[in-house]
Amino acid sequence: MSRPTPWTTQKPPPAGTGGPVGKERDGSQHLPLPTSDTLPPSGDRMDVDMEEKARPGIGAEGRSKPTISTLNTTLAFPPRPVTEEDASAIPSASQDVDMRVDLHVLGKPTLRFPDIDVETTDPMDVEVEIPAEDGQAWPAALERDHLLPPMPPRPRLGTPSHHHRGKSTISQWSVEKGTAIKPYVLEPPPAAPRLSGDGYADFFPRTGNQPEDVLSEQTIRQGYFDKAPTTQTELQSARSTLWPILKHKSGLQVLSSAIKSALEHRQAVGRITTPSTFKPPPRVTLTDTKREAWLRDLANPSIPLRRLSRTIPHGVRGRVLLDHCWSKNIPTTRAIWLTRCVGANEMRAFRRKGANAMYAMGGEAKWVRDWTIFVEQFVEAAVETCGAENWQAKMSYVLRLTAHLFSERLLDQGHYLDWLLTAFQSASVDKLPVWLLLLQLYWNEMIPYRRSGKRLVLALLEKLQLATEAETKEILQPVVHRLSQLITSVLLAKPSNFVSKSLWAQYGDLLRANIENLDPTVASALHDIGRRNGRLSPSAIGPTKLETATHKLVQLLDGKHHESELDELPARCSSLMEDPEVLLRCVLDWSTSIFRQGPSRIYLAARLLRWWREQGIDTDEAILGFLSRCKVKSNFRPHDLFLLVSDLARSGHFAVGRYLQWLIARGAVDSVGDLQEASCEVRLLAEIPRSGLSTSIINIRRMLLKRVGLTSEMEQRMLEDARSRVAAMIPGGSPSDSETKSSPSADLSSTQCWLLGLSGTIKWELSQWVLQQAAALINANGGDETTSKDQTDAQRIYPALLSQYHTIRGVLEALQDFPTLAELIKLYLTCENTTVLASIADTLHQHQDTFISLGILQSSFDGLLNQYKNLKTGKRLEKTLIYSLADLASNLPKTEVITRQLCADLYEYEHRAAVAAFSPVSDDTPNTNNLADAEFYEDVERVLSSGSTIDLATLARLFKKIIVRIESTWEENGEKEVNFGNLLVKLRTLHVKGFDELMKGWVVESLGTSSSLKLFHQLRPLVVNGSLPLRTVVACSTTILDAEHTGKDKEQASLAIALLDFLSVNDASGDLSLDQECYRFRLLQARYTAQHPFEWVAVLRRAVERSVRMSDADLSATLDRLLDNEFVVSILRRIVLNHPRRVFMELVLPLKDTASQFLEKIISALDPAGHMLYHPSQLDVDGRDITTASRIAQVTQSVGHLSLPFCQLQLLLLLSRAEQEDSSSDHAHRKLFTRIIVDQIDQSPTLPSNVLLSLIEALGDDIAGVPKSGF
């Protein structure tokens, strides 16, 4: 038998039947009274009629039938005796009884059914318990009939008496008399979300008359669906339908049409076709109070816009709207909404007024322009309030609002950008930061377009010039830095904005001055812009700017090359010249010219010749032809030619046998008595390396050398002597015989000069022997290192290994054998000594151009970087390695990320060293033998470990203490100076700017009170460790030299010459085994002269002027020695090569009258061949015009593509001398130069006219008026 189900509410009862359903006055909820309409079907009702007779199967002795009272009591409570307390709790009939029954979540009473035996238990005997709220049973006194509503009767067994009794019982539960009965209303739950209409989400009450309540055959079989299910007709494969169509000739077209129609149908179905029903809210006239209230509501985000969008107040527009937005602090999105609403109403008003569409469009455009002007005034007013109270909040709000208006296209963007650029151009220097902030908001909108981009560049350059020339430029330094960054970004993003003849002529120098120390990408972009602007000049348009292929080739070879570009360089050179013979001759001239310097060009030329030889070009014939012309050529260096041919023969790209055959056929050896007096073609015999040659060729070479006085025994003896000298220089070397031990190894200067004078053959074999010795020494030291793996880092440093590397490096540099030096670097890269690796990094940096030409710089740098990573993992790094590696990486292309990482590691190391200064386990802890030093170190340790910053007073106090101790150690020459220098480096990290100012003051004071030469020597360790920049020393010395000191002319002259000596590499020392400090200082000297060439020129000029003024023999001798220094000559030659006219203005012209002797020496060093020597005595004799004419003619005859800058310098000097002596106003020197040039062209038709034109143009205004039409 199935268990009977309880009744539930199916539909609301009709009015007048039963009590009210829902909530009572106190808010409680109770069950609705059951009626006949609410009862379930008869088959599901409980048989609980108290008048029902005894059922079959139950005897008379059985218990009585349950009444409604007993049933309810049985259902609700467990039976227990009634107490007096229960009786007192029973309400009277006149009281309102609130009987509440807990409802289930589905609206049903919560019932508990006990476990019963279905087969033996009568369903009417089952008792169901309903617990009370507190878990206790209800009182038994509530079992009375008049306190509980009757149960609904069963229809099949119901009697009239039951209905009568039910009504009388229900009447006891009705509300008080006089209260109207509320109709049944189905209320939604309070938490139900409300939809946009009048309905509620997920609330659909059942009323009994919905479509799903109607039973039909389809509903019974398939169920009810809101939408009719789509019929699936494709029950099988479509192959049988499509295959016959595809087999047809037009099957693909049919299939394409079907797919196209399906796509069109899907697009049409998915498109929103209903028109938008949104209408802008109308404007109404409100009082000031209501309008303010409406605006305050708009500023309140908690008030929805739906409430405010019914109407908007009239009169809120234009500038008033913007002011209200700021004053009320209306959120940006709501301010944009209000702007849209106001604008839409204005546009609608224009459409209503004019019937003509053109009138409406004109009105709309005018309104947009006026609105843009209001926005501009709003921004300008905000900028004017900068510095006032609460201006930052207002400025932020204005910037945010205007940026949204611009991005949403709610104003005239073109008009707004024009106003912004105009306002920026007219802004004062004080307001530049604010206007720069405004410009950056619309940066991407202005740069791509030339109309706005060119104005932007012009405005930025104007402001940069104002900021750099202002009196308070120190305060404006951040602004200058930011302007430079913005200009650089435009330069890289849109360089065409800088292409303007007038702009470049006015601001070109300013742009170069502020973007001089950036990466190669920026420098290349700046060079391209200068070249493009140069094409716009009138002289570039006509034929006067004709550039031949030779001139272009020389410019290409003189340019700076990266290792990644070397593979493309031969093809680029070949594209300039189609004739291989002319191409090879130009490359050989360029690589051996006296007007170029450095071994990098020699190895670059060898690389080009190897590539062309592999392409089938006969390079041997070009080299032999160049050797045959050497007798009549005087503007080349034989040593460079020998080095080039030796490098080609070493790699097998020069046929030595063919050269010997050519030499014998010419009979060149028969007419030579001494090898030193022989021509270059014969002297090459002693320069070719013997390795890799066959026995027959070696014998022929020996025979030919014997004819010129050089036997094989002499060569072997010279080689053994060289080995013995070098072996005595290498620490840890073991000479093999007594002769080696007695060699004069102490005379390093003579050893270096002797090595330079060796032949190429001996140099090559000596370098190979040195490389073998280095490999043996590395293996020996490597064995020691493997036995001491557990020792500390300090104990695993091998000074012998470092000194051996320094000595062998010096020997190979003296021999100029850089390929062997590259092999040496590869050997030492396997070492884990941080000091040796730092020396390798400095070596790569010192000869960066040469290693690039050899094509090994990048691979060596990668190997060095891998060793650095391994040491970093093992935490065995030192500052010297990090500093040297970061310095090298900063000069390599495409290493920006690596450079930043190395700089971060260096900063972390210095900061960690500063914090952990002089800890008990620190390696930098000096020896503190007295109490004063101990107190000093404790004071410094306490300050350095206190944090990352320091105040100026404490900085000055510690700086003075350290300097005092440094000065006290200058006489001792011990290690304390190095330790104190490290203290200065750590102190500088705490306050860089203040430290530099203190250092400048100390250097100026020291230079004025002590010997200059000695002081510069003592300052070198501070320059090397980075606490004293080299440029600071020059600036301090210049300050003293420019000041007027009466009676101190000799001291100032000594200071000027000492400063020049300090900036120049001393080649006279002859020390091949330079330690790390000396080698690093040489690197800093070369870098300073390369980055600041004209500061070095000014130092040279001051030294010459002061020496001439004093007329001191010792000072003149020192200056002569410096002018003979190859380092000084190479620097000066490089500067003249790039800037001949500026060298004339800053060096030659000031010394022309006062120091003619030193000026002659300088120009003689620039022109070793003697083609352009300047002799004042030849200009002082009678017939000055003839002498000047002959000198100018000599210069013009020697001019060429390689000597052009030096000829320009000589002509400028000659013309200035002629102008000084010519007092007439007709400029006779110009006429003289014009006549000489025309005569040279007539007499020498082969003279390159484009070179002469370049010569004339480089002279500038000095020969203005020279006719160029004939060229």
Side-chain angles (χ1 to χ4, degrees), residues 1109-1120:
R1109 186 183 304 175
M1110 285 302 301
S1111 299
D1112 187 89
D1114 295 335
L1115 295 178
S1116 299
T1118 305
L1119 185 59
D1120 287 338

Side-chain angles (χ1 to χ4, degrees), residues 40 149 625 787 991 1159:
T787 61
H991 200 300
L1159 184 60

Side-chain angles (χ1 to χ4, degrees), residues 725 728-729 743-751 1069-1070:
R725 293 197 180 200
M729 294 170 56
S743 62
S745 60
D747 191 1
L748 298 177
S749 178
S750 60
T751 301
S1069 64

Side-chain angles (χ1 to χ4, degrees), residues 587-608:
V587 172
L588 290 173
D589 288 338
W590 172 80
S591 60
T592 60
S593 173
I594 60 175
F595 303 108
R596 301 296 187 272
Q597 66 281 334
S600 61
R601 58 193 174 89
I602 301 174
Y603 292 106
L604 181 61
R607 187 186 185 96
L608 294 174

Side-chain angles (χ1 to χ4, degrees), residues 341-459:
C341 294
V342 173
N345 279 284
E346 294 289 342
M347 299 298 178
R348 185 168 56 179
F350 281 114
R351 293 190 185 98
R352 289 175 180 174
K353 289 179 180 179
N356 190 359
M358 295 299 295
Y359 172 79
M361 293 177 60
E364 293 176 1
K366 182 179 181 302
W367 183 88
V368 172
R369 192 179 306 109
D370 294 341
W371 164 250
T372 306
I373 293 174
F374 288 139
V375 176
E376 295 166 358
Q377 294 174 356
F378 180 60
V379 176
E380 192 170 1
V383 173
E384 292 298 329
T385 60
C386 287
E389 184 180 359
N390 200 23
W391 71 272
Q392 293 182 346
K394 181 176 182 179
M395 200 66 213
S396 300
Y397 184 85
V398 170
L399 294 178
R400 185 169 60 252
L401 179 59
T402 52
H404 278 80
L405 291 174
F406 187 90
S407 62
E408 297 288 343
R409 297 184 179 274
L410 295 178
L411 44 76
D412 189 347
Q413 293 185 343
H415 190 281
Y416 184 77
L417 292 179
D418 291 340
W419 165 83
L420 186 60
L421 290 173
T422 303
F424 177 70
Q425 288 177 336
S426 60
S428 61
V429 180
D430 299 336
K431 299 295 179 63
L432 275 183
V434 181
W435 287 106
L436 286 176
L437 183 61
L438 272 168
L439 280 179
Q440 294 176 64
L441 292 176
Y442 313 99
W443 193 259
N444 295 330
E445 302 293 335
M446 291 185 288
I447 290 180
Y449 308 103
R450 183 165 175 80
R451 177 175 176 269
S452 58
K454 185 178 179 181
R455 288 189 60 190
L456 174 63
V457 170
L458 180 61

Side-chain angles (χ1 to χ4, degrees), residues 718-736:
M718 294 173 62
L719 179 60
E720 293 296 334
D721 190 14
R723 288 178 180 176
S724 63
R725 293 197 180 200
V726 173
M729 294 170 56
I730 300 176
S734 55
S736 58

Side-chain angles (χ1 to χ4, degrees), residues 7 11 242 339 386 453 576 667 830 856 969 1017 1061:
W7 51 268
K11 61 177 68 175
L242 295 178
T339 303
C386 287
L576 294 176
T830 58
I856 61 172
T969 58
H1017 178 74
D1061 187 27

Side-chain angles (χ1 to χ4, degrees), residues 231-250:
T231 54
Q232 300 291 335
T233 57
E234 297 184 5
L235 302 179
Q236 56 185 0
S237 175
R239 184 177 184 279
S240 59
T241 305
L242 295 178
W243 184 249
I245 300 176
L246 295 176
K247 289 175 62 178
H248 198 267
K249 182 172 59 177
S250 61

